[in-house]
Amino acid sequence: MSIVVINALSVPEGQGEELEARFAARKNAVDQAPGFEGFNLLRPTGENTQYFVYTQWASQEDYENWRDSRQNMAAHASDDGQPRKPVASGSELLEFEIVEL
């Protein structure tokens, strides 16, 4: 059963463009991960300030394997391989199973 993982990112005013630029720079970085099924970055509208990072996985195990992988760590690092200071001021991870009707 496929799952969806949403990372709700609280982004300070004026930092949205930087967040989007970072995601654009690593576009397709997760595409080859086993069990990866899709990705979307959702930009807030109206008074909402949270960005949603939406990923879909074939299984919970596939997601956890990627989450704990070196590829994930590398995707979040700067060019020199060091962890990059996050743009977001906070985040909340939401996980769902897709209901087949």
Side-chain angles (χ1 to χ4, degrees):
M1 171 179 295
S2 290
I3 67 158
V4 167
V5 178
I6 299 173
N7 194 357
L9 302 175
S10 298
V11 178
E13 187 174 336
Q15 294 298 305
E17 286 185 23
E18 174 64 20
L19 180 79
E20 292 178 29
R22 288 187 186 188
F23 274 96
R26 60 188 177 107
K27 186 177 181 179
N28 305 321
V30 69
D31 288 2
Q32 301 306 313
F36 176 76
E37 295 180 343
F39 166 88
N40 286 293
L41 177 62
L42 307 178
R43 179 187 297 135
T45 60
E47 293 183 20
N48 178 31
T49 61
Q50 284 186 308
Y51 275 78
F52 287 173
V53 181
Y54 174 105
T55 57
Q56 185 170 327
W57 299 88
S59 70
Q60 183 72 32
E61 181 181 13
D62 288 325
Y63 165 69
E64 290 171 359
N65 287 338
W66 174 80
R67 179 196 65 201
D68 299 335
S69 71
R70 288 184 179 179
Q71 292 85 355
N72 178 32
M73 289 181 219
H76 291 90
S78 61
D79 291 337
D80 65 4
Q82 296 300 311
R84 185 183 298 190
K85 181 181 176 191
V87 173
S89 60
S91 68
E92 179 182 3
L93 200 60
L94 309 168
E95 299 182 28
F96 304 89
E97 290 182 345
I98 296 177
V99 178
E100 302 290 335
L101 301 177

